[in-house]
C-alpha cells in the first residue's frame, strides 16, 4: 500500500477535500457531546460555544433518574450472549459446509445463505406469536435467539470463506495423528480462524447493539429494555430538556465509540467483511 | 481374527455413520435456530396473508383477496404507490449521493494521502453509531426553532436558507437522505477502497507508463475492475432502501409526515399491521400481505440485480 | 454499588425466565402515559392500601409504539391484566377482537354519563369494554405576562384573534406556538378553530350522511384555519410537539392550541398562563370546544387474575379515584363527583356547556383510512399552501367514502 | 513384516474414476516412489493407503493385516505432507508430540520421544519455536520428526520436497535416503519429479490416469521402459521420439522409415506383432546421441540453440520437418547456431514403440 505519496498542489487539494469531509463528519458528533454539558439556556443562547464548564448535571440526571444504566447493562448482556452463541453455532455450520464433502452440502449452504435475503422484521407478527408460545416474550433470551437467527447467515457466509481457505493437509495431518473430528475442529482448525471470528463477531455485534425494532415489540417491562429502545422512551420523557437529551445520546454512543477507537482496524475489517469477502 | 468381507463393510459403514452423525451434530443446532426463528415465521407470514382478519382475529381463508385489496383498492394503492415511489427515490438518491461521495473519497484515499488511517477511522465512525442516536441527534439539529443547522445558517448570513427542513414536503425526505448518507457513506467508502486495493498495482502502473491520465485510469481501469464491489454495494443499498424504516420513523413518525412525503413501504407495513393512534386499528392480514409483497419484490430484485451486475464483472485473476 | 448489584440480580432473575409465581395476585397495568408514571403510582398505592393481596405494576410504553406493543401482545395471547385503552376506533380494534372483558354487569358504571360511555362501547354488540377515565378538551392557552406586556386584550372573535396575533408578531413575538410537523397537533388545532365555523349542527349531519366534508361550511372552516399559518412560528412546518411546548413554556410564543392535558406540564414549567375556548366566528357567536373521551381502563379477557383486575376497574369507576385523577393529573375525570381545586381545570369543565365532539376521533376512526389520517395530511398540505381548502375537503371526503 | 499390499484398488469421486484397479506390493523396508504427471492419482493412492480417503473397492493390507476399514491413526502409518501441515499455533515440541498426546501417552514418554527425534534431526534448539519462525528446511525436518515420533510401520511422503529450493531439495534428498537406511522403515513417497524418483527409490511405480504403467527399479525403468509414456517420463531431458512407419518386418528385426528420410533396421530380441504400414515411434535419449555419423543411424539437423554448461552441452536441432530434437554431449562442443550437424545413435541404446505405445524389444 505504500505507493509514493503525491506531492504538489494535487496532494493539497486532496487534503482540503478530506479535511472538509472530516469536519462534516466530526462536527455534529462533537456538538452532540458538547451540548450534553450545557443547560437549555446555553443551548439556545450560545449553541456553538464551548460549554461554560464541565457540567455533569445532565449526566447525573440520566444516571440517577432514568433507567439508562440499566438499558446499558441489558444491551451488553444481549449483545455478548448473542455474539457468543452466534459464533459457536455459526462456526459449527460453516465448518460442516466448508470442510466436508457430503451429499446435500450445497443445499445446506444455500439454506443458510437464503437467510441473508429474508427481512425478518416483516415476519414480526408470527414471530411474536411464536415467541409467546415459547415463553420468550419480555425475556432477553427471546431477543438473543432472534439476533442469533438473524446473524447466522452472514456469520456462516464469512466464516465459510475463511475456513475454506485453510489447507486441508492440516486436518489430514491431525487425522493421521489420531485426533477425532471434534478435536481436529476445536484444537487445530478453529484456533486458526479466530481473526475471522472476531470479524464476524463485530460485523454482527454492531447492528445487534443498535437494534431497536425487535425490543420495541418483544420487550415490555422497563427493566428488560435495551439501550436503543430505551432511548426512544427516554426521549418522550425528556422531550424539552435538550441538554439531557444530548447527554443521553452521548452516553448511549460512548461505549461503541470507545471500543471502535481502540479496535478500529478490526471494526473496519469486520463491518466490511460481508461485502468484501 | 478372521473377519469376513461383510465385517469389513460393516466397519466401513460404521465409520461413515459416525461421520454423518458428527455432521448432523454440527449442522442441526444452527439450522434449528434458523428454522425456528426465521423460516417458520416467514412461512407463517405467507400463511397469514391469505386469511381474512378482523383486526387481530383470524377468520376465513380468502386466498389472494388481501393482495388484491392492497394492489387494486384505489385508496390503498395510492398510499402504496406513493410509499413505493418514495422508496425508489431513496434508492436512486442514495446510489447517487451516498455512494457517489463514497466513491470519490475512496478514490482519494486510494492515493494514500497523509493521514490515511485517521481519515479511514473518522469516516467510519458514524457507521457504528445506532440509527436511533443518529436519527434523534439530527432531528434535534434540524429543529427549525432550536436546531443547530438553522442557527448556523443564520450565523453565516444565509437567513433564507434556514428552512423547517423536516416539515416541508420538498425538503423532508431529502434531509433524511442526507442524514442517512452522513450516517452510512463510510461503509461504501471502505468497501470501494478495499476493492481498489485489490486491483494489482501493475495494471495501474502499466497504464501510467503508457501515459494515461489519472481520470482515464480511474474510468478505464479502476472502475471496471471494481465491479464486484459496485455489485455488492448496489444490492445492499437496494435492500436497505426498500427496508428503510428507522430514520423516517424516528425523525417524522409513522405517518410519513408531512403529507406522506416521507412515507415508506416499511412505515406502511408497520401502520397496516399494527395500526397507530391516528391511522386506526391493525390488520394482520393486509399487513402480512404487504410484507409478502415486499419480501418477494426485494428478494427477486436482489437476485436479478446480482445476476445482471455480476455478468458485467470482469474476471481478474 | 448496591444499586448495581440489585440490577444485576434483577437481570439474572429475568434471564432465568419470567417471574410470576411469587404473590397470589400480581397485576400488570399498561399505559401509554409516560408523563403520568408518578401520579399513577400514587393512585395504585392508594388502591393497594385497601387491597393488600393485590399488587399492581404500572408500565408506560412509548406513546407512538403503544398500539404496536399492545396489539402484538394481545394477538400473541399475552398482554397485561389491566389495559389503559384509547377510545373509539382504537378500542374497537381490540374489543372487537375479543381481547377485552365486557364490563357492564360486572362494574357499577352509574357515575358515568352516556356520552362518555359511548367512547368505550363496541358498536357491534353495544356492550361496554372500559371504564372511561377522562375527557379531553381542546383549548387555547395564552401567556398572560406576554399579553399584559403588549397590552393585548384576550380575543373573543376570530378577527380579534388575528388582530391580537398581528400585534404580537409586530412586537417580535411568535403569536402561536403550534407547528405542523406532528400531524396530530394540527388536528388538535383544527379542533379549536374549525367547529365555530362549521357550526354545531354539522357533526350530526355529517355522521348521519346528510352531508359530507365537501360541505361549504367545512370548506369555509378550513379556509379560516389556513389564515392562521402566518401566525405560527417561522418554519412551523418543522415544529413538532416537543418544540411547540418548548416555544410556549420558554415564553417565545404567546399562545398554544392544545389539549387540556397540558395544564399540568405548563404549570410545572412555571409560566403564567390562562385558557380560553377557540375564538367565535363573529361577535356574539358561540364558542364551542371540541371534546372527546381520552380512553378508559379495561380488563384483558385472557387475564389469569380477572377478578382482581375487575376489582381495580371497579375502583376506577368511583369518585375517590376520579378525585385523585383530578388532583394528580389535572384531568377532567369522566366519573362524576370529583371537585377540582384547580381553577384552570374548573374552567375547562365550564367550557363543556358548548362542546362539540372532536369530529374525526369520535366518528371516523373506525375504518381505514381513518378520518384523522386524511385530515392530518390534508391540514399539513393546507397550512403549507400545497393545497386549497376545497382540495383538502375533497380528499377527506373521498377518503372517508371509500374507507372500509 | 511392514509390507503394504494393494489389491484391485479402485477409487471414484462421483462419476470420475481416479484410481483404476491398482495392484501393488511394497516390501518391508522398501523405499517406493509413486511418480507420474499431476492428476495421475499418485497422491490419491497415497491417501487411500493412509486412510484419508475411503476405497471404492479393493483391499489395503499393511503388515499382513487388512486395514482399509480402519481410521488413519489405526493403520500404523505416518505421513509427511507437501506443505508440511505443521500446526501454526503449536510450538515445534507440541507439533511433534501431538499424535502422542492424542494417544494419551504419558508426559514423560512424549518428552523423551520428542527430544530423541529432535536430536536426530538437529531440531533441539528450535523445540519451543512456532513453525513461522523456522526456515523451509527446518519446517520440513519438523514434519519428518512428527512422523518419526510415532514410530510408524510405514512412512508416507506426499511430495515433501516440492516446496524447497533446488539446492535444499538435493540436500534433503540425501538426508531422506540416509534416514531411510537408519530407520529401516518402509517408505512410500509420492513425487512428480522423476529425478527424485530415480535417486531415492528402491522401486518406482509410474502412474498415469489412475493406472499403473510400470513398476520396477529405477534403472530398469530407464533402460527398459514398457511403453512410450514411461520412456518419455523417466529421464531428463526427455527421450526424443520420431514418428515412423514400418516398411518391413522379420523375426529378427523391423525396418522402419522415419519421416521418409532415415531408414532404420531395429533388431528384435523377441518376436513382434508389427506389420508393414504400422505407425511406430522411434526413441533416442538425448544423452545417447553422439556427434558425427555412426554406422547404425544418423539424423542431420540445423542447430537453433546451444546450452553450454562447461562439463556438458545441450544441442537443440531441427531435424527434418522442423522436428525439435535435443542432444546431450559431454564436454564443450565447437558448434554454432545455424550449423548443420549430424547426430548419430546406437541401435542398442534406442527404443521402438508400437502403434499403441508398447515397447518393441
Amino acid at each position: 500500500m505504500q505507493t509514493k505519496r503525491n506531492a504538489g498542489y494535487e496532494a493539497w487539494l486532496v487534503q482540503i477535500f478530506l479535511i472538509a469531509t472530516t469536519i462534516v463528519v466530526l462536527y455534529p458528533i462533537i456538538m452532540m457531546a458538547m451540548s450534553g454539558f450545557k443547560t437549555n439556556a446555553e443551548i439556545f443562547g450560545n449553541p456553538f460555544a464551548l460549554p461554560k464548564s464541565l457540567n455533569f448535571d445532565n449526566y447525573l440526571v440520566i444516571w440517577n433518574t432514568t433507567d439508562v444504566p440499566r438499558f446499558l447493562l441489558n444491551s451488553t448482556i444481549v449483545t455478548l450472549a448473542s455474539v457468543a452463541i452466534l459464533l459457536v453455532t455459526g462456526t459449527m455450520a460453516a465448518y460442516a459446509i466448508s470442510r466436508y464433502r457430503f451429499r446435500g452440502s450445497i443445499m445446506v449452504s444455500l439454506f443458510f445463505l437464503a437467510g441473508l435475503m429474508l427481512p425478518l422484521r416483516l415476519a414480526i407478527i408470527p414471530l411474536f406469536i411464536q415467541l409467546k408460545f415459547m415463553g420468550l416474550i419480555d425475556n432477553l433470551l427471546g431477543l438473543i435467539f432472534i439476533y442469533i437467527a438473524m446473524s447466522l447467515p452472514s456469520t456462516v457466509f464469512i466464516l465459510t470463506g475463511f475456513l475454506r481457505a485453510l489447507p486441508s493437509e492440516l486436518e489430514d495431518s491431525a487425522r493421521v495423528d489420531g485426533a477425532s473430528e471434534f478435536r481436529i475442529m476445536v484444537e487445530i482448525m478453529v484456533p486458526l480462524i479466530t481473526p475471522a471470528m472476531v470479524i464476524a463477531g463485530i460485523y454482527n455485534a454492531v447492528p445487534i447493539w443498535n437494534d431497536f425494532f425487535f425490543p420495541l415489540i418483544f420487550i415490555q417491562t422497563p427493566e428488560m429494555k435495551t439501550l436503543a429502545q430505551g432511548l426512544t422512551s427516554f426521549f418522550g420523557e425528556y422531550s424539552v430538556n435538550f441538554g439531557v437529551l444530548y447527554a443521553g445520546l452521548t452516553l448511549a454512543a460512548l461505549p461503541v465509540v470507545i471500543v471502535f477507537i481502540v479496535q478500529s482496524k478490526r471494526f473496519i475489517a469486520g463491518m466490511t467483511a460481508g461485502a468484501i469477502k | 481374527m478372521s473377519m469376513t468381507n461383510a465385517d469389513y463393510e460393516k466397519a466401513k459403514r460404521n465409520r461413515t455413520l459416525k461421520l454423518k452423525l458428527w455432521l448432523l451434530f454440527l449442522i442441526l443446532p444452527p439450522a434449528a435456530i434458523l428454522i425456528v426463528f426465521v423460516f417458520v415465521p416467514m412461512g407463517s407470514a405467507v400463511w397469514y396473508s391469505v386469511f381474512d382478519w378482523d383486526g387481530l382475529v383470524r377468520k376465513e381463508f380468502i386466498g389472494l383477496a388481501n393482495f388484491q385489496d392492497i394492489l387494486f383498492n384505489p385508496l390503498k394503492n395510492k398510499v402504496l404507490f406513493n410509499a413505493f415511489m418514495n422508496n425508489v427515490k431513496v434508492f436512486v438518491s442514495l446510489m447517487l449521493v451516498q455512494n457517489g461521495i463514497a466513491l470519490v473519497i475512496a478514490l482519494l484515499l486510494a492515493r494514500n494521502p497523509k493521514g490515511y488511517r485517521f481519515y479511514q477511522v473518522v469516516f467510519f465512525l458514524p457507521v457504528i453509531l445506532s440509527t436511533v442516536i443518529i436519527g434523534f441527534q439530527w432531528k434535534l439539529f434540524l429543529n427549525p426553532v432550536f436546531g443547530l443547522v438553522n442557527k448556523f445558517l443564520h450565523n453565516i448570513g444565509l437567513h433564507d436558507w434556514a428552512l423547517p427542513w423536516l416539515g416541508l414536503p420538498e425538503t423532508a425526505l431529502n434531509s433524511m437522505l442526507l442524514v442517512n448518507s452522513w450516517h452510512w457513506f463510510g461503509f461504501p467508502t471502505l468497501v470501494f477502497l478495499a476493492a481498489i486495493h485489490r486491483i494489482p498495482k501493475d495494471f495501474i502502473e502499466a497504464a501510467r507508463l503508457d501515459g494515461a491520465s489519472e481520470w482515464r485510469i480511474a474510468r478505464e481501469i479502476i472502475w471496471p475492475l471494481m465491479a464486484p464491489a459496485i455489485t455488492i454495494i448496489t444490492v445492499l443499498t437496494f435492500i436497505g432502501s426498500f427496508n428503510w424504516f428507522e430514520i423516517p420513523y424516528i425523525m417524522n413518525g409513522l405517518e410519513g409526515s408531512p403529507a406522506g412525503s416521507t412515507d415508506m413501504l416499511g412505515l406502511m407495513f408497520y401502520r397496516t399491521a399494527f395500526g397507530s393512534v391516528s391511522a386506526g386499528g391493525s390488520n394482520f392480514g393486509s399487513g402480512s400481505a404487504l410484507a409478502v409483497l415486499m419480501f418477494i419484490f426485494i428478494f427477486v430484485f436482489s437476485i436479478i440485480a446480482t445476476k445482471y451486475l455480476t455478468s458485467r464483472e470482469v474476471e481478474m485473476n | 454499588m448496591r444499586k448495581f448489584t440489585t440490577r444485576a440480580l434483577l437481570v439474572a432473575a429475568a434471564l432465568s425466565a419470567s417471574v410470576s409465581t411469587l404473590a397470589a395476585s400480581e397485576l400488570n397495568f399498561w399505559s401509554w402515559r409516560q408523563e403520568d408514571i408518578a401520579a399513577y403510582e400514587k393512585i395504585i398505592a392508594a388502591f393497594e392500601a385497601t387491597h393488600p393481596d393485590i399488587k399492581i405494576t404500572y408500565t408506560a410504553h412509548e406513546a407512538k409504539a403503544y398500539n404496536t406493543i399492545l396489539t402484538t401482545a394481545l394477538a400473541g395471547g399475552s398482554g397485561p391484566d389491566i389495559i389503559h385503552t384509547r377510545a373509539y376506533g382504537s378500542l374497537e380494534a381490540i374489543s372487537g377482537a375479543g381481547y377485552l372483558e365486557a364490563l357492564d354487569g360486572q362494574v357499577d358504571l352509574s357515575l358515568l354519563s352516556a356520552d362518555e360511555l359511548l367512547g368505550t362501547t363496541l358498536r357491534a354488540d353495544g356492550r361496554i369494554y372500559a371504564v372511561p377515565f377522562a375527557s379531553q378538551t381542546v383549548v387555547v392557552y395564552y401567556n398572560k405576562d406576554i399579553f399584559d406586556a403588549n397590552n393585548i386584550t384576550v380575543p373573543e372573535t376570530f378577527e380579534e384573534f388575528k388582530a391580537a396575533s398581528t400585534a404580537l408578531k409586530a412586537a417580535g413575538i411568535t403569536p402561536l406556538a403550534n407547528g405542523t410537523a406532528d400531524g396530530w397537533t394540527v388536528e388538535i388545532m383544527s379542533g379549536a378553530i374549525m367547529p365555530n365555523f362549521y357550526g354545531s349542527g354539522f357533526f350530526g349531519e355529517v355522521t348521519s350522511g346528510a352531508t359530507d366534508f365537501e360541505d361549504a361550511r367545512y370548506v369555509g372552516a378550513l379556509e379560516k384555519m389556513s389564515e392562521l399559518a402566518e401566525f405560527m412560528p417561522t418554519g412551523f412546518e418543522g415544529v413538532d410537539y416537543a418544540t411547540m411546548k418548548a416555544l410556549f413554556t420558554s415564553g417565545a410564543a404567546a399562545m398554544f392550541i392544545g389539549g387540556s392535558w397540558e395544564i399540568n406540564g405548563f404549570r410545572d414549567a412555571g409560566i403564567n398562563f390562562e385558557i380560553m375556548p377557540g375564538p367565535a366566528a363573529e361577535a356574539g357567536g358561540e364558542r364551542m370546544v371540541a371534546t372527546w373521551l381520552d380512553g378508559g381502563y379495561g380488563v384483558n379477557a385472557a387475564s389469569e387474575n380477572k377478578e382482581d383486575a375487575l376489582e381495580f376497574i371497579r375502583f376506577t369507576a368511583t369518585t375517590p379515584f376520579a378525585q385523585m385523577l383530578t388532583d394528580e393529573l389535572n384531568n377532567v375525570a369522566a366519573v362524576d363527583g370529583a371537585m377540582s381545586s384547580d381553577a384552570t381545570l374548573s374552567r375547562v369543565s365550564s367550557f363543556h356547556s358548548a362542546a362539540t365532539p372532536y369530529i374525526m376521533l369520535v366518528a371516523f376512526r373506525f375504518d381505514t383510512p381513518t378520518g384523522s389520517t386524511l385530515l392530518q395530511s390534508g391540514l399539513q398540505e393546507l397550512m403549507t399552501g400545497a393545497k386549497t381548502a376545497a382540495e383538502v375537503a375533497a380528499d377527506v371526503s373521498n377518503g372517508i367514502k371509500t374507507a372500509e | 513384516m511392514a509390507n503394504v499390499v494393494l489389491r484391485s484398488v479402485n477409487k471414484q469421486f462421483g462419476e470420475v474414476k481416479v484410481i483404476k484397479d491398482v495392484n501393488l506390493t511394497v516390501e518391508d523396508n522398501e523405499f517406493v516412489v509413486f511418480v507420474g504427471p499431476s492428476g495421475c492419482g499418485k497422491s490419491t493412492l497415497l491417501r487411500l493407503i493412509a486412510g484419508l480417503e475411503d476405497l471404492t473397492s479393493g483391499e489395503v493390507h499393511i503388515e499382513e493385516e487388512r486395514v482399509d476399514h480402519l481410521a488413519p491413526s489405526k493403520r500404523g502409518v505416518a505421513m509427511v505432507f507437501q506443505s508440511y501441515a505443521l500446526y501454526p499455533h503449536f510450538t515445534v515440541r507440541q507439533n511433534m508430540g501431538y499424535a502422542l498426546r492424542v494417544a494419551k501417552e504419558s508426559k514423560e514418554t512424549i518428552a523423551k520421544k520428542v527430544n530423541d527425534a529432535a536430536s536426530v534431526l538437529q531440531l533441539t534448539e528450535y523445540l519451543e519455536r512456532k513453525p513461522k519462525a523456522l526456515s523451509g528446511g527446518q519446517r520440513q525436518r519438523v514434519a519428518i520428526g512428527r512422523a518419526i515420533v510415532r514410530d510408524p510401520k510405514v512412512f508416507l511422503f506426499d511430495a515433501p520436497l516440492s516446496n524447497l529450493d533446488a539446492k535444499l531439495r538435493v540436500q534433503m534428498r540425501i538426508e531422506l535416503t540416509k534416514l531411510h537406511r537408519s530407520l529401516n522403515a518402509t517408505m512410500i513417497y509420492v513425487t512428480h519429479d522423476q529425478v527424485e524418483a530415480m535417486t531415492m527409490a528402491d522401486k518406482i511405480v509410474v502412474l498415469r490416469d489412475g493406472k499403473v504403467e510400470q513398476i520396477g527399479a529405477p534403472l530398469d525403468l530407464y533402460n527398459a521402459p514398457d511403453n512410450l509414456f514411461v520412456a518419455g517420463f523417466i529421464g531428463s531431458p526427455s527421450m526424443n521420439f520420431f514418428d515412423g512407419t514400418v516398411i518391413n518386418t522379420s523375426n529378427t528385426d523391423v525396418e522402419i522409415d522415419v519421416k521418409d528420410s532415415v531408414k532404420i533396421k531395429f533388431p528384435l530380441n523377441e518376436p513382434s506383432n508389427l506389420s508393414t504400414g504400422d505407425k511406430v515411434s522411434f526413441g533416442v535419449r538425448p544423452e545417447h546421441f553422439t556427434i558425427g555419423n555412426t554406422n547404425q543411424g544418423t539424423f542431420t539437423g540445423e542447430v537453433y540453440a546451444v546450452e553450454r554448461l562447461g562439463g556438458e552441452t545441450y544441442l537443440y536441432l531441427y531435424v527434418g520437418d522442423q522436428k525439435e530434437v535435443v542432444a546431450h554431449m559431454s564436454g564443450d562442443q565447437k558448434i554454432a547456431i545455424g550449423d548443420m550437424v549430424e547426430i548419430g545413435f546406437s541401435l542398442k541404446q534406442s527404443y521402438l514403440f508400437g502403434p499403441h505405445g508398447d515397447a518393441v524389444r
Side-chain angles (χ1 to χ4, degrees), chain D residues 6-11 17-24 45 57-59 207 209-212:
Chain D
L6 306 187
R7 275 185 208 143
S8 307
V9 168
N10 280 286
K11 175 67 185 175
K17 287 186 178 163
V18 265
I19 299 294
K20 298 163 192 164
D21 194 32
V22 168
N23 288 284
L24 174 70
L45 197 57
S57 68
E59 294 174 12
L207 288 156
D209 290 342
K211 279 199 300 245
V212 174

Side-chain angles (χ1 to χ4, degrees), chain D residues 155-312:
Chain D
F155 283 87
L156 306 175
F157 294 92
D158 189 359
L161 304 185
S162 50
N163 284 355
L164 300 177
D165 62 48
K167 204 173 155 195
L168 206 52
R169 198 152 42 195
V170 173
Q171 194 185 323
M172 285 305 296
R173 230 154 62 192
I174 293 163
E175 278 192 39
L176 270 178
T177 317
K178 266 167 42 190
L179 192 73
H180 174 231
R181 260 204 312 271
S182 68
L183 288 175
N184 243 337
T186 308
M187 291 185 174
I188 303 177
Y189 185 106
V190 162
T191 180
H192 58 87
D193 177 352
Q194 58 94 24
V195 177
E196 277 178 26
M198 295 296 285
T199 51
M200 298 162 80
D202 295 329
K203 183 158 89 191
I204 293 178
V205 179
V206 182
L207 288 156
R208 180 168 69 144
D209 290 342
K211 279 199 300 245
V212 174
E213 292 283 328
Q214 190 172 3
I215 303 177
L219 286 180
D220 289 348
L221 297 191
Y222 180 85
N223 292 326
D226 275 352
N227 53 44
L228 198 62
F229 175 76
V230 175
F233 193 80
I234 301 288
S236 169
S238 299
M239 188 183 281
N240 298 294
F241 293 111
F242 302 86
D243 295 336
T245 315
V246 175
I247 47 178
N248 205 354
T249 62
S250 73
N251 279 343
T252 53
D253 48 36
V254 186
E255 199 172 341
I256 55 171
D257 179 9
V258 178
K259 285 268 170 187
D260 302 326
S261 58
V262 181
K263 289 196 171 52
I264 294 162
K265 207 165 186 187
F266 191 82
L268 292 177
N269 297 328
E270 46 196 72
S272 80
N273 48 9
L274 291 176
S275 49
T276 309
D278 281 352
K279 300 285 174 203
V280 291
S281 291
F282 177 71
V284 182
R285 295 194 184 277
E287 55 270 33
H288 295 156
F289 277 120
T290 52
I291 300 280
N293 198 340
T294 61
N295 296 331
Q296 306 190 3
T298 305
F299 292 109
T300 309
E302 182 191 348
V303 176
Y304 67 90
V306 184
E307 287 177 349
R308 298 173 205 278
L309 302 176
E312 49 195 340

Side-chain angles (χ1 to χ4, degrees), chain B residues 48 53-58 69 73-76 78-79 136 139-140 142-147 150 154 159 162-171 246 248-261 270-284 286, chain C residues 62-65 67-72 74-75 86 89-90 93-94 96-99 180-184 187 233-240 242-244 246-247 250 252 361 365-374 376-378 380-381 384 386 395 398-400 402-404:
Chain B
Y48 285 11
W53 292 69
D54 184 10
L56 317 176
V57 186
R58 195 171 85 189
D69 185 45
N73 173 326
L75 258 180
K76 285 183 190 165
K78 208 175 97 193
V79 178
F136 278 131
K139 190 178 160 79
L140 291 178
L142 288 170
N143 187 306
V145 182
F146 306 110
N150 281 356
H154 282 300
H159 300 285
L163 294 172
W165 301 101
L166 293 173
L168 295 176
E170 306 82 52
T171 55
E246 268 95 347
Y249 173 79
I250 288 163
M251 296 183 78
N252 270 15
L254 267 179
E255 323 287 334
S257 173
S261 61
Y270 194 93
R271 284 199 310 267
T272 315
F274 302 114
S276 76
V277 187
S278 317
S282 63
N283 186 330
F284 282 4
S286 300
Chain C
E62 195 221 348
K64 207 161 35 169
N67 253 39
T68 312
I69 294 167
L70 184 66
T71 308
T72 27
L74 291 174
R86 302 197 207 246
S90 294
I94 52 172
Y99 294 122
T180 63
D182 287 329
W184 66 271
E187 192 185 351
T234 335
F236 66 84
E237 300 92 333
V239 169
D240 62 0
T243 312
M244 284 162 55
L247 279 169
S250 68
L361 171 58
R365 271 202 204 168
F366 297 95
D367 304 311
T368 30
T370 65
S372 292
T373 308
L374 297 163
Q376 287 175 14
S377 157
Q380 283 177 333
E381 289 169 313
T384 51
D395 286 350
N398 290 335
I400 282 176
T402 45
E404 49 191 39

